Amino acid sequence: MPHMTTHSEIIRRLRDELGDSLVIMGHHYQSDSVIQHVDLKGDSLELARKVESVHAEHIVFCGVYFMGESAALLAREGQNVYLPEPDANCVMSQMAPAARVDRVLTSLAASGRTIVPLTYVNSSVGVKAVCGKHGGSVCTSANAETMMHWAMDRGDAVLFIPDKNLARNTANRLGIAQSDWHMLDIRKDGSSVDLEAANKGKLLLWPGLCAIHARFNLRQIQTARDTHPGITVVVHPECSPEVVAQADAAGSTSFIINYVRQAPEGAAIAIGTEINLVERLAKEYAGRKTIVPLLESSCSHMASVTEDKLSITLQEVRNGTADPVRIPIGFTEHARAALERMLKACA
């Protein structure tokens, strides 16, 4: 029976052919079948920082679309970024359309107060450009405290987009009183905002959230503690403030990885984040540490990037037919400024 060439074999062969002209980047939430082929993996902040050190002509980014956009913004002249699945979206980023964000910011600024927008990296290039245009920046879950502090120092109030949970958890860590928060009503294309109430707030919250992390709840934490006495619970700060308050620790994907790494042999840890990362950690520490998910919560958009799509993209890169990520005209300057402000503030 003739040997059927696997996607893995095709990818390995194409990587050999493309050599130093290719770098494959991937987010921690990618499946093992994809992550095995990645040269550089990390969370959003790590990957943004790594783009600068990449000299390869071709960057293939295994992640959702906004990650590819960020890489394209930070890439050098002559470098191209490709997404194996250009339609890999993000529900949270879709909760903040750029035109609505711009309209809300403009109406908030009409009071004469300086409103500094801070967008989570999980947002479109359009939203990043709006934030850049209004003097704001970008943050990731790893540097949200640093960047919220940065934004607070530059104006009368901060508008945090689009994740209300990351915003509230960060505000709690910085000691910003809840009486200084105001959740915006963004309905009717942004015309429902209560400007009088917003003008009293120091932290204005966009009402978006991550569908993956919104699934974690207090009952799951209690069940984990009942099932594994002595277990510690670590969650991502996209979870609700109630869940974060009941957990033993909360932090970015890289924080969670380091938390597990530094835990003593024999430790039991329940993790509240995307299941691909939890299962990878469970395999890595099998027999030494017990790693369990609070819930098997998976991101269908991250999962839409597959080994066969990576294989097809690499074939197109080699053949010169791959479509690079293109930033719409008018967005590049302001969106890059927003990203570069973050990288400078966190250098």
Side-chain angles (χ1 to χ4, degrees), residues 30 41 44 109 111 196 211 221 235 237 243 261 279 284 305 338:
Q30 290 293 298
K41 66 181 174 184
S44 299
S111 69
E196 192 180 337
I221 293 178
V235 300
V243 165
R261 184 184 297 135
E279 289 182 339
E284 187 180 340
V305 180

Side-chain angles (χ1 to χ4, degrees), residues 225-267:
R225 289 185 170 141
D226 291 345
T227 310
H228 305 275
I231 199 167
T232 56
V233 177
V234 58
V235 300
H236 195 280
E238 287 176 19
C239 296
S240 72
E242 296 75 28
V243 165
V244 167
Q246 284 299 310
D248 297 289
S252 68
T253 0
S254 294
F255 173 90
I256 292 169
I257 292 166
N258 289 329
Y259 186 91
V260 173
R261 184 184 297 135
Q262 290 163 13
E265 294 284 311

Side-chain angles (χ1 to χ4, degrees), residues 23-27 38-40 47 50-51 54 59-63:
V23 162
I24 303 175
M25 304 180 83
H27 192 274
V38 163
D39 300 300
L40 300 172
L47 292 170
K50 285 173 180 175
V51 171
V54 172
I59 299 171
V60 174
F61 205 112
C62 300

Side-chain angles (χ1 to χ4, degrees), residues 27 29 90-92 120 122 141 163 165-166 168-169 208-218 220 234-244 250-253 256 271-278 294-299 302:
H27 192 274
Y29 293 166
C90 169
V91 173
M92 178 173 18
Y120 192 21
N122 298 36
S141 52
D163 186 2
N165 285 338
L166 180 60
R168 293 183 295 173
N169 288 319
L209 51 75
C210 170
I212 310 313
H213 290 95
R215 294 175 187 153
F216 296 105
N217 60 44
L218 300 180
Q220 295 152 4
V234 58
V235 300
H236 195 280
E238 287 176 19
C239 296
S240 72
E242 296 75 28
V243 165
V244 167
S252 68
T253 0
I256 292 169
I271 302 176
T273 194
E274 212 276 341
I275 192 63
N276 273 311
L277 177 65
V278 184
L294 280 180
L295 173 75
E296 291 196 10
S297 191
S298 65
C299 176
M302 283 285 189

Side-chain angles (χ1 to χ4, degrees), residues 81-270:
V81 177
Y82 309 93
L83 288 163
E85 178 45 86
D87 292 329
N89 215 311
C90 169
V91 173
M92 178 173 18
S93 76
Q94 292 175 309
M95 294 179 186
R100 188 173 306 190
V101 173
D102 196 22
R103 195 171 294 117
V104 167
L105 268 166
T106 302
S107 64
L108 290 169
S111 69
R113 293 208 307 161
T114 301
I115 311 295
V116 181
L118 187 61
T119 185
Y120 192 21
V121 74
N122 298 36
S123 56
S124 70
V125 71
V127 168
K128 291 181 178 76
V130 168
C131 287
K133 181 179 78 171
H134 287 270
S137 187
V138 177
C139 75
T140 72
S141 52
N143 66 14
E145 287 174 57
T146 301
M147 292 311 298
M148 190 177 283
H149 196 67
W150 175 93
M152 287 281 176
D153 284 347
R154 278 160 179 76
D156 303 303
V158 173
L159 170 60
F160 194 101
I161 312 151
D163 186 2
K164 65 181 182 182
N165 285 338
L166 180 60
R168 293 183 295 173
N169 288 319
T170 305
N172 282 334
R173 299 215 10 187
L174 290 177
I176 300 167
Q178 289 191 24
S179 56
D180 288 328
W181 306 357
H182 174 69
M183 187 78 69
L184 297 177
D185 180 349
I186 59 163
R187 289 174 299 179
K188 296 181 183 171
D189 212 18
S191 63
S192 295
V193 171
D194 182 342
L195 293 173
E196 192 180 337
N199 284 338
K200 294 172 189 163
K202 285 186 188 171
L203 176 62
L204 308 176
L205 306 166
W206 195 272
L209 51 75
C210 170
I212 310 313
H213 290 95
R215 294 175 187 153
F216 296 105
N217 60 44
L218 300 180
R219 189 180 66 252
Q220 295 152 4
I221 293 178
Q222 193 54 55
T223 300
R225 289 185 170 141
D226 291 345
T227 310
H228 305 275
I231 199 167
T232 56
V233 177
V234 58
V235 300
H236 195 280
E238 287 176 19
C239 296
S240 72
E242 296 75 28
V243 165
V244 167
Q246 284 299 310
D248 297 289
S252 68
T253 0
S254 294
F255 173 90
I256 292 169
I257 292 166
N258 289 329
Y259 186 91
V260 173
R261 184 184 297 135
Q262 290 163 13
E265 294 284 311
I269 304 164

Side-chain angles (χ1 to χ4, degrees), residues 310-342:
L310 175 58
S311 157
I312 291 164
T313 301
L314 293 182
Q315 290 174 65
E316 291 171 344
V317 169
R318 183 201 56 192
N319 298 338
T321 57
D323 280 328
V325 174
R326 297 191 195 282
I327 307 299
I329 291 168
F331 286 171
T332 304
E333 182 189 347
H334 291 307
R336 185 184 287 136
L339 275 165
E340 286 175 346
R341 282 176 195 138
M342 173 187 79

